[in-house]
Amino acid sequence: MADPAPLVRTERDGDVACITIASPPVNALSHAVRSGILAAVEAADADPGVAAMVIRCDGRTFVAGADITEFDRPAQEPVLSTVLAAIDASTKPVVAAIHGTALGGGLELALACHWRVAVASARVGLPEVKLGIIPGGGGTQRLPRAAGVEKALEMITSGEMIGAPAALAAGIVDRVVPGDLDREALDLARAKAAEGARPRLRDRQAQAADAERAFADARAAMARKARGRQAPEYAIQAVEAAIARPFDEGIQLERTLCTELKASAQSRAQRHIFFAEREAAKIPGIGRDTPAAKIGRAAVVGAGTMGGGIAMCFASAGIPVTLVETSQAALDRGLATIRGNYEATARRGGLAADAVETRMARIRPSLDLADVAGADLVVEAVFEDTGIKKAVFAELDRHARPGAILATNTSTLDVDAIAAATGRPESVVGLHFFSPANVMKLLEIVRGRKTDPAVIASSLALAKRIGKVPVVVGVCDGFVGNRMLRARGRQAERLVMEGALPQQVDRVLYDFGFPMGPYAMGDLAGLDIGWRIRREKGLTSPIADRLCEQGRFGQKTGAGWYRYDGGSRTPVPDPAVEAIILEESARAGIARRAIDDGEILDRLLLPMVNEGARILEEGMALRPGDIDIVWVFGYGWPIHEGGPMHWADARGLAAIRDRMVELARSHGEDFVPAPLVERLAADGKGFRDLPPPA
Ligand code: T1G
């Protein structure tokens, strides 16, 4: 057998050594790649026939960073900093030629070079914080020296990428080239060799307009945006060292902090989410050869909160969309809300002013359902009622073109029953967006009994195009997310009946890392919907029913579980609510007791884990990681806790099972361990040990 192609090779172009990294798919810096670069740089430096070097990549991108799959193993020499030290020590100029994305260790490699040339479409960033770590190849020391402290802090703490033109303006790349990247890089290398120029970022002083203020601002921003996460604070400390200490000391500190974070539970959780997000898009039986329809035009039926938000998703992604309502007033209201949302984003600087009009122009309002005829995909977002939805689908069946995808945005109803209202159930799928649909990343793709695999493939491709994170789920009451939410909600209600107050329950979840607890969330969503559904089904919820009877529907009425004074969105605990709670506890004959935070957390989260296990047993989710993705991207489960199934694994499933058994004694069946929990715990395993779906 022929030797495999080398991951790093050197070719000579005159007196320039062109070092190419060829390690698909993203040229990650695995041990073999690091060794290859080091050997190539040292060889070129020692070769008297070489005057300069270019480092470039084959394939779709420059180096996208360290190889994340190696993080669980001890670091093996040459580590990245050893490779970069060799570039620092090089007696010949080294030019990085960047296309695609230079991320993490990839950007650090480029920053260690003497010059950086990029194509205009290239993007660069240090996304390490998104994996719960900080850069470990000198990024926290070289980026502030290249771009200044303010810019470096912004990029390193957010992890966001910037485009080549912005990188040029910031001083991160030296040239953006319109034409042949390799040619330009080679020419530059030769010219610099002739000049004898070899500027190193390590020799520069990092500049700051107002360093003290920059660090204080970064800390304040992170306290808001990354509450509970360690990595951003460590990143700030490392950047502080970039101005306060000599380069080599800064590198040392960065390395220590990065190594500590790599071993942390938070980083393990965030890496789990990185890979789970990519796994979730892989569905057995659906491959590259499954034909996915190109969505040229979409239609949305219903211009309410959900429908309007969904239409925005399409318009923002450049997909023209027909928005259908039954009355002009409803249509006008819907369009005004959409415009208001876009304008608000533009005011905050998130959107160019003319982009508001471009996007609005992509939305074609209509009062005639027959107008869905031109669409490749129709999303129904009408009132949550099976009868109404079936009637809409019967109509869609008449008007939509053959082969169009017919999607329902139902959050609870039976997608198979809705599909049966059409003569083409194979074209019907659930596309469950989360509110607000233009903001929340999660998309549950609900696969009906008869849904064609090509429709699933198209839905997955569409999700990627509109920037959503898709998870394919089966048809069951509440699908994955809301089904588990209900398990949590039952306990939230009981905790309040037994002795806790809404603000205590909410605080425990907030402290865990959720943006808000169930009571604040209920007030935000509105309590009247649940009340109406309970009445229809003949159900009661003593405290919530009384709040609704008093017209306390949540934020929109200025009062719900909390008070909202003068139109404020800040929940204020309300003695009137406490009085109702005490009365209802007494009426139910419950002697209230103090409930500690630990019990509250277990009572809320363990039933979710248990319900998640049942969802897996029933095959309603393909993998535990899919459930984690639903919770992180749809419900604000803190990413550094990795989602409910990862959280249970991290705590140890045997310990989880034991605690469930203990709680089941006094709190009933929500805590009786699901057979899957029992089985895995008995074998000393976790959800992560389940075999991949076949
Ligand atoms: N390591 C290992 N595998 C990776 C990888 C990486 N860095 N990046 C991507 N993959 C795999 C991914 O799992 C998938 O595999 C395939 O490549 C294609 O990815 C020392 C500490 C580059 C923008 O965080 O953001 O550098 O599923 O589906 O949409 O400071 O991948 O096909 O089997 O996402 O075109 C910092 C992470 C590391 C970049 C491409 N770097 N990657 O997006 O394809 S830490 C990152 C991405 C670090 C140093 C340190 C994206 C992408 P599979 P994909 P894509």
Side-chain angles (χ1 to χ4, degrees):
M1 215 171 82
D3 282 344
L7 299 178
V8 180
R9 63 173 194 273
T10 303
E11 286 139 341
R12 282 283 287 278
D13 184 293
D15 58 357
V16 181
C18 186
I19 299 169
T20 293
I21 303 162
S23 182
V26 298
N27 293 312
L29 295 166
S30 62
H31 177 252
V33 170
R34 297 193 306 270
S35 309
I37 301 173
L38 180 62
V41 168
E42 285 179 344
D45 198 40
D47 186 338
V50 170
M53 298 172 229
V54 166
I55 297 180
R56 66 176 293 283
C57 287
D58 273 353
R60 66 191 209 216
T61 179
F62 194 76
V63 172
D67 185 338
I68 306 166
T69 60
E70 288 184 352
F71 283 14
D72 288 327
R73 283 169 265 155
Q76 217 186 332
E77 282 289 348
V79 294
L80 183 57
S81 51
T82 307
V83 179
L84 304 189
I87 298 178
D88 269 343
S90 161
T91 55
K92 298 158 187 180
V94 186
V95 175
I98 303 170
H99 75 291
T101 48
L103 297 179
L107 179 56
E108 294 176 301
L109 170 65
L111 288 170
C113 294
H114 305 105
W115 308 92
R116 286 154 293 283
V117 181
V119 291
S121 60
R123 288 178 298 165
V124 304
L126 292 175
E128 283 85 348
V129 286
K130 295 191 175 183
L131 299 170
I133 56 172
I134 64 167
T140 62
Q141 307 305 301
R142 287 194 183 87
L143 192 62
R145 285 173 164 82
V149 166
E150 280 83 359
K151 187 73 193 166
L153 270 177
E154 180 193 317
M155 288 179 67
I156 296 171
T157 57
S158 74
E160 297 300 332
M161 318 186 219
I162 60 171
L168 178 68
I172 299 167
V173 301
D174 303 293
R175 282 191 196 173
V176 174
V177 300
D180 180 343
L181 176 66
D182 292 338
R183 190 74 271 143
E184 301 263 3
L186 287 164
D187 289 349
L188 182 69
R190 232 181 308 273
K192 294 301 169 187
E195 282 173 26
R198 232 163 8 88
R200 302 187 306 179
L201 283 172
R202 60 169 291 148
D203 301 327
R204 245 200 248 172
Q205 184 64 43
Q207 304 295 327
D210 183 347
E212 211 170 307
R213 169 117 186 239
F215 292 118
D217 286 353
R219 285 201 164 88
M222 287 302 115
R224 262 185 293 116
K225 294 187 205 155
R227 189 165 49 87
R229 277 180 236 159
Q230 250 165 0
E233 168 56 28
Y234 279 26
I236 293 169
Q237 288 175 16
V239 176
E240 279 174 333
I243 51 168
R245 301 196 202 177
F247 181 81
D248 289 321
E249 278 182 32
I251 289 283
Q252 199 54 46
L253 176 73
E254 176 196 87
R255 185 82 192 284
T256 306
L257 296 176
C258 179
T259 305
E260 181 190 327
L261 288 173
K262 258 190 209 171
S264 70
Q266 291 199 353
S267 174
R268 263 197 297 278
Q270 291 182 241
R271 270 135 57 193
H272 161 72
I273 291 299
F274 176 84
F275 287 114
E277 182 182 341
R278 283 154 181 85
E279 277 306 298
K282 294 174 192 154
I283 309 300
I286 295 178
R288 278 186 222 288
D289 45 351
T290 310
K294 177 99 180 82
I295 309 297
R297 169 170 280 280
V300 175
V301 181
T305 309
M306 282 314 289
I310 297 168
M312 287 176 75
C313 294
F314 294 126
S316 302
I319 303 172
V321 52
T322 305
L323 183 61
V324 188
E325 252 302 346
T326 48
S327 77
Q328 189 64 49
L331 198 52
D332 291 344
R333 241 191 337 268
L335 286 168
T337 305
I338 294 174
R339 177 175 284 283
N341 286 340
Y342 278 140
E343 283 172 351
T345 309
R347 267 198 306 279
R348 284 195 306 271
L351 195 63
D354 56 347
V356 174
E357 295 314 320
T358 319
R359 291 177 185 201
M360 289 308 295
R362 292 197 186 110
I363 303 174
R364 185 196 297 166
S366 164
L367 290 172
D368 185 357
L369 204 61
D371 284 342
V372 304
D376 306 306
L377 161 74
V378 186
V379 184
E380 162 278 314
V382 303
F383 199 66
E384 189 77 351
D385 173 289
T386 306
I388 298 176
K389 294 213 189 247
K390 279 181 167 173
V392 169
F393 271 77
E395 281 289 299
L396 291 179
D397 196 15
R398 263 214 298 287
H399 299 296
R401 69 161 182 75
I405 298 170
L406 306 182
T408 170
N409 178 51
T410 181
S411 51
T412 48
L413 303 174
D414 182 349
V415 172
D416 289 323
I418 294 170
T422 73
R424 40 172 138 166
E426 70 283 359
S427 295
V428 177
V429 69
L431 289 183
H432 183 206
F433 290 79
F434 287 72
S435 190
N438 52 314
V439 176
M440 297 302 289
K441 299 286 267 180
L442 179 66
L443 182 66
E444 279 184 333
I445 299 178
V446 189
R447 182 178 199 163
R449 242 192 343 257
K450 298 193 175 158
T451 309
D452 188 331
V455 169
I456 300 297
S458 305
S459 302
L460 286 166
L462 172 80
K464 188 158 189 181
R465 203 166 145 208
I466 63 177
K468 298 292 175 200
V469 178
V471 176
V472 175
V473 302
V475 177
C476 60
D477 195 4
F479 314 125
V480 169
N482 282 343
R483 181 168 158 180
M484 288 168 68
L485 184 68
R486 219 155 31 220
R488 187 180 85 176
R490 274 195 300 275
Q491 289 303 316
E493 196 173 323
R494 281 183 205 162
L495 283 164
V496 164
M497 285 295 271
E498 289 169 28
L501 290 173
Q503 53 271 31
Q504 187 191 1
V505 173
D506 280 355
R507 181 184 44 76
V508 169
L509 282 189
Y510 181 82
D511 288 347
F512 180 73
F514 276 96
M516 64 182 90
Y519 291 103
M521 187 167 129
D523 276 358
L524 181 65
L527 305 179
D528 46 327
I529 306 161
W531 187 40
R532 180 177 55 76
I533 294 173
R534 283 197 297 279
R535 278 183 304 176
E536 273 167 21
K537 294 188 176 170
L539 301 173
T540 59
S541 173
I543 304 166
D545 289 351
R546 278 191 59 190
L547 296 178
C548 289
E549 281 155 19
Q550 296 180 9
R552 302 181 67 117
F553 293 161
Q555 280 194 20
K556 60 186 168 190
T557 57
W561 289 100
Y562 298 92
R563 262 190 6 233
Y564 300 87
D565 297 331
S568 134
R569 292 159 152 273
T570 310
V572 180
D574 188 343
V577 175
E578 186 171 343
I580 294 176
I581 290 171
L582 297 186
E583 277 170 36
E584 291 304 323
S585 288
R587 198 196 306 273
I590 295 169
R592 291 178 68 81
R593 64 185 170 97
I595 306 181
D596 66 51
D597 290 357
E599 178 181 338
I600 291 183
L601 193 67
D602 286 348
R603 294 271 301 273
L604 295 170
L605 301 193
L606 296 190
M608 296 177 59
V609 173
N610 221 11
E611 196 66 41
R614 287 190 201 98
I615 285 170
L616 288 170
E617 283 166 355
E618 294 166 21
M620 292 298 154
L622 286 170
R623 324 162 178 88
D626 287 10
I627 296 176
D628 291 333
I629 292 298
V630 164
W631 273 82
V632 166
F633 291 101
Y635 298 85
W637 183 289
I639 191 165
H640 58 271
E641 294 285 355
M645 311 317 270
H646 175 90
W647 175 80
D649 277 350
R651 246 178 81 166
L653 207 50
I656 292 278
R657 186 259 333 261
D658 292 348
R659 181 71 172 134
M660 283 183 179
V661 169
E662 191 184 327
L663 287 168
R665 283 191 211 112
S666 5
H667 303 294
E669 62 177 320
D670 277 344
F671 295 94
V672 176
L676 179 62
V677 172
E678 284 288 12
R679 181 162 62 77
L680 289 171
D683 293 347
K685 292 184 170 162
F687 293 114
R688 65 166 73 93
D689 300 309
L690 286 170

